[in-house]
């Protein structure tokens, strides 16, 4: 079973911020939170990851709660090209076989 | 940029055929993975490899085998293809120095077994 819980689907208006939540209440101290997205018919693409501090890159921001039991991926100005399935996973550096990609959140950006 | 290249985007094979799916990465990554993706089931790990000639079973290895004779190449083999192996197959790689979640994926091979 996936170690994360995400909403099945979300809509976001073009140009607005998309906030995608993820619950990972059983996360271990050595596990990072990773976010990927998958545009239709392509392989998943890495977006961002973090351990406990908030992170930002050119694609998105990642906000991790202080207790690390949940996180939010923020796409600051969503475009139609951001329509994709977004996966939140938790992973450490030693258990490749335990990395599980669940169903993710299907984000639809609406004009 | 790291590139993970899968040899075919679309493949149609007949039941009982032996099928080879090839994956090549160009960044000297130690670890390579094969997943399959089916609607409603997410990505499921078939096999992975830590190094040349090494392989480990994932969650659903039945009906598949793998080969890693060179560091850059990881092949998935369907010994006798069946219709329930119709799926999207994704290859990924990562370095040992990267946390396990830092994958680079290929574009996928959509295999149809008829």
């Amino acid at each position: 079973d996936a170690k994360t819980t995400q909403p099945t689907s979300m809509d976001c208006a073009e140009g607005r911020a998309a906030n995608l939540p993820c619950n990972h209440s059983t996360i271990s101290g050595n596990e990072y939170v990773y976010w990927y997205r998958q545009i239709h018919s392509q392989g998943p693409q890495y977006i961002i990851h973090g351990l406990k501090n908030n992170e930002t890159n050119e694609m998105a921001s990642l906000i991790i709660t202080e207790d690390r039991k949940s996180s939010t991926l923020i796409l600051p100005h969503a475009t139609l090209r951001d329509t994709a399935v977004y996966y939140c996973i938790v992973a450490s550096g030693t258990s490749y076989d335990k990395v599980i990609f669940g169903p993710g959140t299907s984000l639809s950006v609406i004009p | 940029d790291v590139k993970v290249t899968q040899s075919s985007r679309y493949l149609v094979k007949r039941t009982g055929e032996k099928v080879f799916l090839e994956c090549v990465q160009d960044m000297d990554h130690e670890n390579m993975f094969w997943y399959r993706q089916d609607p409603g089931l997410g990505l499921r790990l078939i096999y992975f490899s830590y190094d040349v000639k090494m392989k480990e079973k994932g969650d659903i290895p039945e009906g598949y085998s793998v080969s890693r004779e060179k560091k850059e190449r990881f092949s998935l083999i369907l010994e006798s293809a069946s219709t329930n192996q119709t799926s999207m197959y994704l290859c990924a790689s990562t370095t040992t120095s990267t946390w396990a979640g830092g994958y680079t994926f290929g574009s996928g091979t959509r295999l149809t077994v008829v």
Side-chain angles (χ1 to χ4, degrees), chain B:
Chain B
D1 283 352
V2 176
K3 289 289 188 293
V4 176
T5 304
Q6 296 184 230
S7 54
S8 305
R9 286 301 305 272
Y10 300 94
L11 212 52
V12 179
K13 294 293 182 181
R14 295 195 180 277
T15 300
E17 276 193 80
K18 190 169 186 176
V19 181
F20 293 86
L21 302 183
E22 305 288 345
C23 175
V24 177
Q25 50 92 5
D26 65 359
M27 282 299 290
D28 204 35
H29 282 179
E30 297 86 356
N31 311 304
M32 297 186 74
F33 307 80
W34 275 106
Y35 287 88
R36 66 176 282 178
Q37 184 174 30
D38 302 287
L41 296 177
L43 277 70
R44 292 181 291 168
L45 182 63
I46 305 172
Y47 268 97
F48 62 106
S49 170
Y50 289 118
D51 203 347
V52 175
K53 297 191 184 298
M54 297 189 70
K55 60 184 178 183
E56 297 285 344
K57 293 180 180 179
D59 297 322
I60 51 164
E62 296 78 18
Y64 303 94
S65 62
V66 290
S67 173
R68 188 138 182 232
E69 296 296 320
K70 294 185 178 181
K71 191 175 186 179
E72 67 270 20
R73 186 180 298 270
F74 193 35
S75 302
L76 181 68
I77 304 156
L78 287 65
E79 296 290 342
S80 177
S82 64
T83 54
N84 63 13
Q85 293 177 309
T86 291
S87 186
M88 167 74 97
Y89 289 87
L90 290 160
C91 176
S93 73
T94 185
T95 74
T96 299
S97 61
T98 304
W99 290 97
Y103 297 103
T104 300
F105 283 88
S107 298
T109 296
R110 188 166 293 281
L111 172 68
T112 302
V113 182
V114 299

